[in-house]
Amino acid sequence: MGKYILKRMLLMVPTLFGAAVLIFFLLRLVPGDVCEVRLAGAGLYADPEAIAICRENLGLNKPLMAQFFDFVWGYFIFDLGVSMWTGASVVHEIEIRFQLSLQVAIMATFVATVISIPLGIISAVNQNTWLDYCVRGFAIAGIAIPSFWLGLIIILGLLIITQAITGSPWMPPIDYKPIWEDPVYNLSQLIWPAVATGYRYSAVAVRMTRSAMLEVLREDYVRTARAKGMIEKVVINRHALKNALLPVVTILALEFAFLMGGLVVTEQVFNLNGLGKLFVDAVGNQDFNLTQNLVMLVVLIFVLTNLVTDVAYAWLDPRIRYS
Amino acid sequence: MVTPSEIQVEAEFEEVAAKKPWGQVCKDLMRKQPLGTFGLAIVLVMIVTAIFADYIAPHDPIQEDFSAMFAEPGHESYPLGTDEFGRDILSRLVHGSRTALMVGFICAIVGATLGMVIGVASAFFGGLFDLLLQRVLDVFMAFPLIILALAVVATLGPGIQNVMIAIIIPFVPQCARVVRSNALAIREIPYVDAARALGFSNSRIILRHMVPNVMAPYLIMLTTFLGQAILLEASLSFLGLGVQDPIPAWGLMLTNASEFFEGSPWLAIYPGVAISLSVFGFNLFGDAVRDTLDPKLRSR
Amino acid sequence: MSKYARFALALAVGAGLSLASTGPADAETPKRGGVLNFVVGSKIPSYDGHIEGTFGMIHPIRPFYSSLIRINPQNPQSSTDFHCDLCVGEVPKGEEGGTLFKFKIRDDVKFHDGTPLTAADIKATLDKIVFPPKGVPSARKAFFKAVESIEAPSPTDLVIKLKFATGSFIPALAMPFNFVYSKKDLDEHGYSWHRTNINGSGAFKFKEHVKGSHVSGVRYEDYHFKGQPYLDGFKAISAPKLAVRVQAIRGDRAAIEFRGFPPKQRDDLVKALGDDITVQESDWNCVLMATPNQERANFQDPRVRQALTLAIDRWGGSQHLSRIAIVKTVGGVVFPNHPLAATKAELVALNGYGTDLKASRAKAKELLAAAGKSGMEFEFNNRGVDQPYKVVGTWLIGQWRQVGLKVKQRVQPSPPFYATLRKKKDFDVSIDFNCQSIINPIADISKFLGSAGNNYGNYLDQELEDLYNTLLQTGDEKKQREIIRVFEKRALSDQAHAAITLWWYKINPHRSYVKGWKIAPSHYLNQHLDQVWIDK
């Protein structure tokens, strides 16, 4: 087992290095740079000298390979540098957003779990009935509806409904307070994006729960249990569900990793100051240093989640380890 | 020259590949997959709309009418109302289906096909080639889809071609990975060895023996990509990186409408429904394809 | 009110709007207390006003700083009414033929860290802006080319000498970007400290900046205008999406947005909230234009460029485009409300400004045919900002379609957009803009000179250059006006180097409880917030 984990961890190294190369050069293919945006933001005349100085200060005029070396070397000396846009340290910039993204990811995963497991079971138990079709239709609608569109509708709906009821329109807060500072404020902001994205991500998990349940329900021990005259509910809860859960948990874990960095569009609609919005801003500003490090963080979360789920699988199913 | 043993090998293969006639598959689909059939119906309606857009749309989709800006639905000459430039929403929706289908099909077909080629090649050649290729795919797979697409489109610049490239790039490794694992299994089947032993060329083995046998995962991935591509295009448009005015496209309509959502919500409702419905259709259809083609699920 | 000033405030627009009534509002006694929440649609690059040029920095950061002089907060529409902020009495008139300015500096001003503010601090600040040491950037150095020396003979005296007299010196000095820093900070921490740190003498003290979310400030009790500010504090919340900013005001998460909303959003807010919304409107010192790239063969022929401008229905656009974009007023090279600006009679004589649209478009088609470019296809380069860039761009393409031109739009985010204009020059026709803070026409129209740093047409028109040099040496306003008319006709009509669209129109619908804030003709101006109060 230890050997398997070690092998998997070693495989992470080329992946991370490749991701670093990819994002580094991808960003630098775009014409223009952060200095031009900063110094000519309002259409004022941009002093070429000022732009040259700005580039000098940010190290943008060094040879590409030297810049790349600095970027990678930063990981070995634990110095990720500063945001080229704000001048604040990259760690600080990411830290502020990480909290919010983590909380939304947890809440959305919770919503997805609450929706998907019961629905998946209902769907499997009532396979090929109208109930099954409704559940699957509902789940697939979740993937089909753009979550930013759903977000727009939720906010407008809240404004209209609250105005109709209380006379003055209410909308979720547009700035973030940590949950321990002001839990009501915090939740009244984040619950909506969590529902909108949680619904979206429940779809895949519903399907997974359904097919895993169907598979397990046909296993011999479930048939035996049924034959022994056990109550259906007990059969499902005690035997079937337990064994069907693993792939479902895997899917949810992978989606959690996705939610950490992938809420690029939804965050715009709800004005959330999360990692996705930071990514859009950083790319828009051509803040190379921040974008690179942010992408590496998201990739790392992704790769680590994959590692954990694979290891869990291997632990449960020894055949994988030796293949 | 065709040797008898060759014919035999290929006959054997045909047996493996075509377990069921396609007509039967279609019938099964309708009987066993009412949702899938519903999805297919939506897709067909969309295709018909796209083909005959010029005849269906009552107006020119880019003709502005400043005397009827923000006309509400139910207007005498604009049944679904008009947008901020007084352009007919119905006509823009109808013509927008072309853009959606084009993005959906081109991205899905190109992405899945490139993925299949890479996946099969990787499995067939194996060894160092496979190992290196897998590491490269690992890199691409380590990015969330939207992040990679966004980075690519930021590099290439907005616009419909670049958006399609940005959508295709993350699709390729996904499909390659799935196809490869299927192809690996097929590679072990004796008739491929036999074909090799007979000295058939690599391309012949790949094209005639391996590719047909990975059609199931290929089609599954392809149908999954159809809906995803349409949604990704809408997302990129929402960030201002997608299709640009005045081309009629649903994602763009939704994006423009989001600015005027407060007072004229219908502007955003129609394209939103169009996107959702088409992706819904593609996904229902894709699910049915998956259920039908996936051998593990077929017996049920 | 100065003779230049013209109140565009509180114009009635549409039925059922309740508008700011300036009379009674002025008469009301300001109430103290309350926190002002406002939304900002752009981002903060750094806190250093001397190097930044975006309202994303001005709106949240300006309230922390004072400047030597500023526009009159009670009369922000005027382009010549300047008030002392850190100086005493009136803004000095130039002595010695307008080349010597002597400022008396207040002796009761303290920075937020307690250090007294003296003339030496202002000198150090201006030195940083005007004569930055090598390696120190300064975005508006070019505005101060006339300055010879800045001296502080005593803590309350500041003397500025110019090389030559120029009417653009005082407006440049009043630009809101000229934050006064403490000499001590500059000496101790160096010239880049202010990018990430704040120590000003403005009405508010910096409280916190949560990156990407908000900036908040609290009342500075020792502010030099006694009794002010009225607010306990403010919170500037970042909200890049226009839809969110509109919703925020509707849902009262924010009371105001200081840049400007399109009319449609104003109407929707008024419809939803009625009397709880007050609208202020003003002409805006920004304009978008279409600039053809004269390095490209298609656009070297002035007939083609004339056709581009002739196809545009400006008077019609002022009616309907103004409903969906933050643009409205038909104008030439000078800000429409200014005495140096063309009158309507003068405008209609220019190509593309005529009131007979059919005739203009027929002429455009003729010119295109004569140049052999009928039905020409080209690409229009635009900036990826919705308001008003993309809306105006889409409108322009529709206008050109009317004369048979087939135009595709290429929209780019700001960095590659700038690269296209400045370095790569790989465009046919591009959106281009002139957007300034203080209205300063003689400086602003240099935009149309081929030699100007912010001109992207890739042409050199010696006749325009000569006209401009004559203009610079003319002191008489009437003469200036005449020269500008000739300049305008050549730049916009005969040579058609650029097709000006419509001047921007600033609309600020805000919660009616926000009082004391008066709209200025620029989103950079009047943002120190010391006169704003909340009536709840």
Side-chain angles (χ1 to χ4, degrees):
Chain A
M1 191 68 201
K3 213 170 147 192
Y4 174 78
I5 297 177
L6 190 71
K7 187 183 137 203
R8 283 301 321 260
M9 285 182 73
L10 281 177
L11 275 178
M12 277 170 60
V13 176
T15 306
L16 290 173
F17 183 77
V21 173
L22 182 65
I23 194 66
F24 180 89
F25 289 100
L26 208 51
L27 285 175
R28 280 163 179 79
L29 285 175
V30 196
D33 63 42
V34 65
C35 293
E36 302 213 6
V37 199
R38 256 173 57 173
L39 297 175
L44 289 167
Y45 168 64
D47 189 3
E49 198 191 329
I51 290 185
I53 293 164
C54 166
R55 288 200 181 121
E56 171 87 41
N57 290 342
L58 294 176
L60 287 170
N61 49 1
K62 283 196 205 171
L64 274 188
M65 288 320 287
Q67 291 184 44
F68 183 69
F69 178 79
D70 287 348
F71 163 47
V72 175
W73 184 241
Y75 291 110
F76 292 94
I77 56 170
F78 297 103
D79 177 11
L80 307 189
V82 296
S83 154
M84 292 174 166
W85 177 257
T86 65
S89 85
V90 165
V91 176
H92 175 71
E93 292 281 346
I94 292 180
E95 213 176 16
I96 304 166
R97 279 86 171 187
F98 190 81
Q99 244 183 50
L100 182 142
S101 283
L102 184 66
Q103 195 189 337
V104 174
I106 292 172
M107 286 170 68
T109 309
F110 177 76
V111 171
T113 313
V114 167
I115 294 177
S116 60
I117 293 184
L119 287 188
I121 294 171
I122 292 173
S123 191
V125 173
N126 302 287
Q127 192 195 0
N128 293 339
T129 64
W130 64 271
L131 197 60
D132 179 27
Y133 297 140
C134 283
V135 168
R136 286 162 69 194
F138 174 77
I140 291 175
I143 334 183
I145 296 173
S147 49
F148 57 91
W149 185 61
L150 193 60
L152 280 171
I153 291 177
I154 289 177
I155 295 178
L156 187 66
L158 285 171
L159 283 166
I160 292 172
I161 292 167
T162 49
Q163 188 165 23
I165 296 171
T166 65
S168 65
W170 181 91
M171 75 176 282
I174 52 172
D175 60 324
Y176 172 74
K177 281 184 189 163
I179 191 161
W180 54 88
E181 255 175 42
D182 192 341
V184 175
Y185 195 86
N186 174 289
L187 289 176
S188 63
Q189 181 189 22
L190 299 186
I191 196 138
W192 315 102
V195 167
T197 52
Y199 172 38
R200 177 174 175 68
Y201 290 110
S202 67
V204 186
V206 168
R207 182 158 65 199
M208 189 55 90
T209 314
R210 178 176 178 273
S211 60
M213 277 296 289
L214 284 176
E215 210 159 309
V216 174
L217 284 174
R218 272 160 185 75
E219 297 280 344
D220 290 342
Y221 63 92
V222 177
R223 288 189 191 171
T224 317
R226 272 195 178 142
K228 280 191 340 199
M230 281 175 80
I231 307 163
E232 189 69 12
K233 210 173 148 187
V234 180
V235 175
I236 289 165
N237 284 342
R238 192 168 296 168
H239 294 277
L241 186 58
K242 213 164 74 184
N243 289 292
L245 264 181
L246 184 66
V248 178
V249 170
T250 312
I251 282 287
L252 288 170
L254 290 177
E255 271 169 14
F256 175 81
F258 178 81
L259 285 168
M260 283 303 292
L263 289 185
V264 168
V265 191
T266 313
E267 283 179 7
Q268 300 280 329
V269 175
F270 289 99
N271 207 45
L272 299 183
N273 190 32
L275 294 177
K277 178 163 165 269
L278 182 64
F279 177 75
V280 175
D281 287 352
V283 168
N285 295 334
Q286 300 211 322
D287 187 342
F288 297 153
N289 200 25
L290 181 56
T291 315
Q292 282 158 201
N293 285 297
L294 186 58
V295 166
M296 291 309 288
L297 173 72
V298 173
V299 167
L300 185 71
I301 294 173
F302 229 66
V303 172
L304 279 179
T305 315
N306 269 311
L307 174 78
V308 171
T309 51
D310 283 2
V311 168
Y313 257 101
W315 183 56
L316 290 168
D317 185 353
R319 278 174 302 176
I320 295 172
R321 264 179 268 166
Y322 304 107
S323 64
Chain B
M1 201 182 78
V2 180
T3 62
S5 55
E6 191 179 332
I7 293 168
Q8 202 187 338
V9 169
E10 288 190 354
E12 205 174 334
F13 141 67
E14 272 177 6
E15 237 175 60
V16 177
K19 280 180 183 153
K20 272 185 189 176
W22 280 103
Q24 188 63 38
V25 171
C26 289
K27 262 189 202 163
D28 277 2
L29 191 72
M30 263 180 255
R31 189 170 46 83
K32 285 192 184 169
Q33 303 283 354
L35 282 181
T37 315
F38 180 56
L40 187 64
I42 296 176
V43 173
L44 287 178
V45 168
M46 224 179 123
I47 292 175
V48 169
T49 312
I51 293 174
F52 299 103
D54 291 331
Y55 304 99
I56 297 172
H59 295 272
D60 179 346
I62 59 174
Q63 183 58 53
E64 295 159 345
D65 179 357
F66 291 116
S67 64
M69 295 158 79
F70 298 108
E72 297 196 9
H75 188 278
E76 51 186 312
S77 57
Y78 305 109
L80 297 186
T82 60
D83 68 3
E84 67 273 26
F85 288 99
R87 297 176 296 201
D88 180 36
I89 291 186
L90 179 60
S91 305
R92 287 183 75 72
L93 282 177
V94 167
H95 280 268
S97 66
R98 281 187 180 172
T99 316
L101 280 181
M102 182 176 78
V103 171
F105 276 104
I106 291 182
C107 293
I109 292 173
V110 175
T113 308
L114 283 177
M116 180 180 70
V117 170
I118 292 176
V120 168
S122 189
F124 181 77
F125 294 107
L128 190 65
F129 177 74
D130 181 40
L131 189 76
L132 289 177
L133 204 57
Q134 287 311 304
R135 295 295 76 77
V136 173
L137 294 187
D138 275 347
V139 171
F140 282 91
M141 302 271 290
F143 288 84
L145 202 66
I146 182 95
I147 297 268
L148 187 56
L150 202 88
V152 172
V153 87
T155 306
L156 299 175
I160 188 153
Q161 285 140 352
N162 294 343
V163 163
M164 287 197 287
I165 296 172
I167 295 173
I168 289 170
I169 289 177
F171 279 176
V172 174
Q174 284 192 25
C175 183
R177 183 57 54 87
V178 173
V179 166
R180 174 182 170 269
S181 62
N182 278 269
L184 276 180
I186 293 158
R187 199 171 160 261
E188 304 304 318
I189 296 175
Y191 72 74
V192 175
D193 275 345
R196 261 191 194 168
L198 285 167
F200 291 169
S201 71
N202 284 347
S203 58
R204 177 168 185 152
I205 299 173
I206 290 179
L207 285 179
R208 303 219 41 189
H209 298 169
M210 295 191 64
V211 169
N213 278 291
V214 294
M215 281 321 274
Y218 169 76
L219 286 175
I220 291 172
M221 292 312 282
L222 195 147
T223 46
T224 317
F225 288 162
L226 281 168
Q228 270 187 22
I230 293 176
L231 269 183
L232 266 177
E233 190 271 316
S235 298
L236 290 172
S237 284
F238 194 74
L239 296 170
L241 299 168
V243 181
Q244 301 300 339
D245 253 323
I247 299 169
W250 296 342
L252 178 73
M253 289 172 76
L254 181 48
T255 309
N256 289 346
S258 72
E259 278 204 9
F260 304 105
F261 197 49
E262 296 291 305
S264 312
W266 68 88
L267 288 181
I269 301 284
Y270 290 125
V273 168
I275 292 172
S276 304
L277 205 60
S278 63
V279 178
F280 188 66
F282 277 124
N283 281 339
L284 285 180
F285 176 62
D287 263 20
V289 170
R290 173 195 304 263
D291 286 358
T292 315
L293 293 179
D294 194 330
K296 275 207 296 192
L297 299 171
R298 191 186 285 162
S299 55
R300 287 174 198 152
Chain C
M1 206 197 298
S2 115
K3 63 172 180 172
Y4 287 169
R6 198 186 117 191
F7 249 66
L9 237 177
L11 291 172
V13 258
L17 295 196
S18 70
L19 294 160
S21 47
T22 46
D26 281 353
E28 281 178 82
T29 322
K31 289 181 188 157
R32 273 172 82 87
V35 172
L36 179 75
N37 291 324
F38 59 91
V39 268
V40 187
S42 190
K43 294 159 281 187
I44 303 177
S46 83
Y47 305 148
D48 188 351
H50 304 170
I51 62 171
E52 305 302 347
T54 165
F55 71 95
M57 182 279 300
I58 285 289
H59 290 180
I61 306 300
R62 172 75 177 91
F64 302 128
Y65 286 101
S66 311
S67 53
L68 178 58
I69 59 173
R70 63 183 184 185
I71 57 154
N72 180 357
Q74 298 309 322
N75 183 20
Q77 286 295 320
S78 162
S79 52
T80 52
D81 186 0
F82 300 107
H83 268 203
C84 265
D85 183 355
L86 292 174
C87 49
V88 183
E90 294 276 303
V91 173
K93 300 271 179 287
E95 299 169 28
E96 299 183 9
T99 57
L100 183 71
F101 290 85
K102 289 180 176 167
F103 292 88
K104 271 278 169 212
I105 306 302
R106 293 178 76 117
D107 57 4
D108 57 348
V109 185
K110 272 193 249 164
F111 284 102
H112 296 157
D113 69 350
T115 326
L117 184 148
T118 68
D121 296 305
I122 303 173
K123 172 184 158 48
T125 298
L126 289 176
D127 280 342
K128 175 175 181 277
I129 297 170
V130 181
F131 312 114
K134 211 173 162 31
V136 176
S138 167
R140 279 159 291 271
K141 195 169 71 172
F143 284 74
F144 297 97
K145 278 198 176 125
V147 176
E148 187 178 293
S149 69
I150 303 153
E151 295 304 330
S154 85
T156 56
D157 286 298
L158 185 80
V159 180
I160 301 176
K161 267 202 195 115
L162 304 187
K163 291 175 209 152
F164 51 87
T166 166
S168 68
F169 171 65
I170 288 290
L173 204 57
M175 284 189 303
F177 299 95
N178 302 333
F179 300 166
V180 173
Y181 297 151
S182 146
K183 182 172 189 299
K184 193 190 78 179
D185 291 335
L186 291 170
D187 290 347
E188 281 177 16
H189 307 296
Y191 285 106
S192 52
W193 185 78
H194 290 91
R195 288 180 204 175
T196 46
N197 294 277
I198 292 170
N199 178 31
S201 54
F204 295 89
K205 272 164 74 169
F206 176 75
K207 186 177 154 205
E208 64 169 350
H209 174 198
V210 178
K211 296 267 156 62
S213 171
H214 63 269
V215 171
S216 52
V218 290
R219 188 210 319 265
Y220 178 42
E221 298 292 350
D222 283 336
Y223 187 51
H224 53 275
F225 291 110
K226 295 303 164 215
Q228 285 174 305
Y230 306 114
L231 298 168
D232 288 339
F234 73 88
K235 188 173 187 182
I237 304 166
S238 165
K241 278 271 158 197
L242 176 63
V244 173
R245 298 200 294 279
V246 177
Q247 287 160 349
I249 290 179
R250 183 161 170 190
D252 205 11
R253 292 290 169 190
I256 188 166
E257 195 260 25
F258 289 118
R259 184 172 180 255
F261 285 161
K264 174 78 165 108
Q265 278 77 350
R266 166 200 65 200
D267 297 345
D268 293 342
L269 278 172
V270 170
K271 200 171 150 198
L273 295 173
D275 285 348
D276 290 338
I277 284 286
T278 298
V279 183
Q280 296 192 46
E281 308 195 355
S282 159
D283 271 313
W284 195 341
N285 190 20
C286 288
V287 68
L288 294 186
M289 55 194 95
T291 299
N293 181 1
Q294 298 188 27
E295 263 178 15
R296 294 259 161 123
N298 276 345
F299 302 98
Q300 276 163 359
D301 188 336
R303 288 174 298 184
V304 176
R305 301 197 301 265
Q306 283 173 2
L308 288 183
T309 187
L310 278 164
I312 300 172
D313 177 15
R314 292 179 174 82
W315 301 105
S318 157
Q319 301 289 315
H320 46 249
L321 180 63
S322 67
R323 284 178 62 195
I324 53 173
I326 54 175
V327 300
K328 185 174 186 177
T329 314
V330 182
V333 292
V334 177
F335 178 66
N337 273 342
H338 201 277
L340 290 175
T343 61
K344 186 169 177 181
E346 286 164 333
L347 282 177
V348 293
L350 301 175
N351 275 332
Y353 286 80
T355 41
D356 185 353
L357 181 64
K358 268 190 188 153
S360 294
R361 286 192 174 151
K363 191 175 163 199
K365 281 183 192 164
E366 260 169 47
L367 287 170
L368 284 172
K373 304 285 185 206
S374 287
M376 178 173 66
E377 288 180 28
F378 65 89
E379 200 175 60
F380 183 64
N381 180 48
N382 203 344
R383 185 180 180 197
V385 175
D386 290 336
Q387 278 295 346
Y389 300 82
K390 279 161 82 169
V391 185
V392 170
T394 305
W395 176 74
L396 275 176
I397 290 171
Q399 300 289 304
W400 287 326
R401 207 162 82 103
Q402 305 297 322
V403 297
L405 294 167
K406 296 183 189 73
V407 189
K408 266 197 194 148
Q409 190 163 210
R410 172 168 68 144
V411 178
Q412 306 191 80
S414 300
F417 172 78
Y418 284 123
T420 293
L421 286 188
R422 296 208 180 102
K423 270 192 301 196
K424 292 170 60 189
K425 301 178 177 171
D426 59 336
F427 65 93
D428 293 326
V429 179
S430 176
I431 209 137
D432 189 355
F433 45 97
N434 204 10
C435 198
Q436 308 288 348
S437 54
I438 302 276
I439 297 162
N440 193 349
I442 294 178
D444 296 350
I445 64 168
S446 67
K447 164 85 182 168
F448 298 94
L449 299 174
S451 62
N454 59 348
N455 183 295
Y456 306 117
N458 301 312
Y459 59 86
L460 189 70
D461 185 336
Q462 195 52 47
E463 213 178 309
L464 275 186
E465 307 278 337
D466 294 343
L467 275 170
Y468 191 71
N469 286 335
T470 323
L471 176 66
L472 283 182
Q473 281 148 26
T474 311
D476 178 46
E477 196 188 295
K478 218 176 139 199
K479 279 251 177 64
Q480 286 176 341
R481 202 174 179 287
E482 281 165 16
I483 298 170
I484 291 176
R485 289 292 78 75
V486 180
F487 183 94
E488 185 169 62
K489 183 163 183 296
R490 180 162 181 91
L492 299 186
S493 188
D494 298 347
Q495 286 298 314
H497 292 307
I500 284 192
T501 60
L502 298 167
W503 284 77
W504 291 18
Y505 192 67
K506 197 167 182 299
I507 300 175
N508 293 104
H510 56 82
R511 285 272 166 177
S512 297
Y513 59 73
V514 177
K515 305 267 180 172
W517 179 78
K518 283 189 180 162
I519 193 168
S522 158
H523 53 316
Y524 300 110
L525 296 177
N526 214 12
Q527 289 305 132
H528 32 74
L529 303 185
D530 62 354
Q531 79 287 22
V532 178
W533 55 283
I534 285 178
D535 187 18
K536 257 196 205 170

